Amino acid sequence: MRYFEKSSKLDNVLYDVRGPVVEEASRMEENGMEIMKLNIGNPAPFGFSAPEEVILDMMSSVRASQGYSDSRGIFSARKAIMQYCQLKGIRGVTMNDIYTGNGVSELINLCMQALLNDGDEVLIPAPDYPLWTGTTNLAGGKAVHYICDEQACWYPDIGDMKKKITDRTKAIVIINPNNPTGALYPRAVLEQIVDLAREHDLILFSDEIYDRLVFDGQEHISLASLAPDRFCVTFNGLSKSHMVAGFRAGWMVLSGPKEQAQGYMEGIRMLSNMRLCSNVPAQSIIQTCLGGYQSVREYVRPGGRIYEQREFIYKALTDIPGITAVKPQAAFYIFPKIDVKKFNITNDEQFALDFLKSKRVLLVSGGGFNWKKPDHFRIVYLPCLEDLEKAVGRLRDFLHGYWQK
Ligand code: PLP
């Protein structure tokens, strides 16, 4: 018999959202158990929904959205994105520099495929949103991880970044605001990254999908706004800011000296044309979403759901003996540290599995974010306060007396 194996292109790809812990959770659910899921940044199942106006606008545009659009996207969406760039200080963006995608995910993959030859290196944060590492490796490139420093509010360690630049490095990726740490980078840190890109002539990729989910009156600064002289690709979308992850509405914007990247842009155009266009009904709401009042602000100010859930989760977790954490400044994730000596933890996936089996709570261990030590895990704090209270209570009970075998 002939067996069909997965392509060898996938051999180096460390990306599997359905690892053994998630598999076990599915088995437990099939056996009728109720699992508390703190593992996916998908707002809709936790009672968040898009503003009514957005739903109505999408409904009314469906009939007119049946055909393929321009491969980059419909005019109204790209115009709104262009104006958003103006508000964020990203200069010189034309309509041709904007591509809509089926979520940011599709565009990250497209950008890596269009850029990388075998062995080309890309600097990617650790911890990271693992799609960045997965797509870099899939494209034949090599993901080289720079450390984000927990002691410094999880900001990128510029010294480490510098050390890891080689002749093969083509680009630096930043995720700001960050998943999984919830960090928001200040101007001074961003400027240092831009300086490094200048010094070594590197492309900058900035994943800014959480830029409207920022707490405490802080301002999100777009990396590209500080780097008009660097070729930058900035990613954003509606999955998180408008709670419509299932609609698959994302975009990317090319800025800086285009003459330096004519060949790369040709590659992007080719791959964009190959997928014809992104989901047109989803594109039709981008204008509505980006203009006018941003209702997401109500979630992230004091009294708002995401704000109050952050306050709770930070305090409740750090009250548990053996757990410490940096308070998140944005998004809806926290990446706590666990005292591995206290609990004899040598395998973080085993820790997540033991916790799941014992307490029926699903979280993701640090290794899922390319964090090499077994001392972290990520919690998505989208569930309501009552559920978060239950989950943290179970973690406290579980850790009391836990000793990994
Ligand atoms: N980038 C980051 C940092 C994310 O956390 C996510 C989703 O969780 C994505 C990109 C993917 O977003 P999209 O739904 O637009 O594909």
Side-chain angles (χ1 to χ4, degrees):
M1 196 194 307
R2 181 176 173 198
Y3 292 99
F4 296 96
E5 301 295 342
K6 72 176 188 304
S7 155
S8 57
K9 292 196 216 78
L10 288 161
D11 286 350
N12 296 327
V13 178
L14 293 169
Y15 187 79
D16 189 1
V17 283
R18 288 196 70 82
V21 186
V22 176
E23 292 295 341
E24 177 60 24
S26 303
R27 265 194 298 277
M28 291 166 75
E29 275 183 324
E30 279 159 23
N31 289 328
M33 294 179 205
E34 202 178 316
I35 307 293
M36 294 190 80
K37 293 193 181 129
L38 308 184
N39 65 321
I40 298 188
N42 185 15
F46 299 107
F48 292 94
S49 63
E52 193 57 16
E53 185 190 358
V54 171
I55 303 289
L56 292 176
D57 280 9
M58 190 181 220
M59 283 164 65
S60 70
S61 75
V62 164
R63 210 175 285 282
S65 304
Q66 295 174 78
Y68 296 127
S69 69
D70 179 294
S71 144
R72 288 184 174 88
I74 60 175
F75 180 87
S76 70
R78 284 189 292 143
K79 189 57 130 184
I81 294 162
M82 188 175 143
Q83 290 170 338
Y84 190 65
C85 290
Q86 289 165 1
L87 293 178
K88 303 266 329 214
I90 306 177
R91 279 165 271 171
V93 173
T94 71
M95 293 289 276
N96 284 345
D97 303 324
I98 299 167
Y99 289 79
T100 62
N102 295 305
V104 165
S105 306
E106 180 190 38
L107 298 170
I108 291 174
N109 195 21
L110 189 153
C111 276
M112 294 299 127
Q113 294 290 346
L115 180 68
L116 299 176
N117 290 315
D118 287 354
D120 284 346
E121 294 174 10
V122 180
L123 286 179
I124 293 177
D128 73 340
Y129 177 64
L131 184 70
W132 279 104
T133 296
T135 54
T136 298
N137 293 341
L138 178 62
K142 182 172 165 205
V144 177
H145 292 110
Y146 65 83
I147 292 293
C148 294
D149 182 3
E150 188 167 24
Q151 303 305 316
C153 311
W154 284 119
Y155 300 153
D157 178 335
I158 305 292
D160 192 53
M161 233 181 213
K162 212 181 235 171
K163 270 197 282 189
K164 288 177 175 159
I165 296 175
T166 72
D167 292 349
R168 297 300 309 259
T169 312
K170 273 197 164 162
I172 300 177
V173 172
I174 70 161
I175 303 170
N176 176 41
N178 192 271
N179 177 8
T181 64
L184 174 71
Y185 302 161
R187 182 180 295 269
V189 168
L190 297 172
E191 280 172 346
Q192 284 176 284
I193 296 169
V194 174
D195 283 346
L196 217 52
R198 280 192 187 116
E199 203 181 314
H200 298 273
D201 212 355
L202 303 173
I203 292 177
L204 288 168
F205 290 112
S206 188
D207 181 342
E208 304 186 352
I209 194 165
Y210 298 99
D211 75 334
R212 282 147 285 164
L213 287 152
V214 167
F215 302 118
D216 308 323
Q218 297 184 80
E219 185 202 3
H220 174 268
I221 301 167
S222 249
L223 186 69
S225 71
L226 305 177
D229 57 330
R230 296 300 330 151
F231 187 75
C232 297
V233 187
T234 305
F235 300 82
N236 211 323
L238 303 181
S239 292
K240 320 290 175 169
S241 63
H242 288 76
M243 314 295 170
V244 291
F247 288 4
R248 313 309 296 128
W251 59 86
M252 66 177 180
V253 174
L254 317 181
S255 62
K258 318 272 162 57
E259 64 283 0
Q260 191 188 11
Q262 285 301 324
Y264 181 30
M265 286 163 48
E266 170 64 15
I268 289 175
R269 263 193 306 278
M270 285 167 70
L271 292 182
S272 172
N273 288 338
M274 281 185 197
R275 54 97 212 225
L276 300 176
C277 66
S278 71
N279 175 9
V280 182
Q283 292 181 44
S284 75
I285 57 168
I286 290 176
Q287 182 181 32
T288 305
C289 288
L290 287 184
Y293 179 65
Q294 294 296 301
S295 57
V296 67
R297 288 200 192 133
E298 286 169 25
Y299 288 125
V300 293
R301 68 175 185 217
R305 244 191 93 177
I306 300 181
Y307 178 93
E308 295 302 331
Q309 288 167 198
R310 173 198 63 159
E311 293 296 296
F312 170 79
I313 200 79
Y314 171 70
K315 174 143 193 349
L317 283 171
T318 52
D319 274 351
I320 299 177
I323 302 274
T324 51
V326 175
K327 192 171 189 181
Q329 302 300 304
F332 33 66
Y333 309 103
I334 187 164
F335 198 58
K337 181 171 188 178
I338 187 157
D339 182 341
V340 286
K341 286 212 180 92
K342 187 173 166 64
F343 306 108
N344 194 41
I345 294 174
T346 52
N347 180 333
D348 56 342
E349 196 170 64
Q350 186 63 45
F351 157 73
L353 195 60
D354 291 343
F355 180 43
L356 170 71
K357 284 182 175 164
S358 160
K359 297 290 179 187
R360 301 178 187 182
V361 180
L362 179 58
L363 45 78
V364 184
S365 51
F369 307 97
N370 293 301
W371 185 253
K372 300 293 173 228
K373 294 189 200 149
D375 58 354
H376 281 79
F377 59 93
R378 187 192 73 173
I379 283 189
V380 178
Y381 56 85
L382 284 170
C384 65
L385 274 177
E386 205 189 340
D387 287 345
L388 289 178
E389 246 169 74
K390 264 190 230 155
V392 178
R394 290 186 200 177
L395 182 62
R396 176 185 278 277
D397 287 351
F398 171 76
L399 286 176
H400 187 76
Y402 179 63
W403 183 257
Q404 192 171 87
K405 300 208 179 69

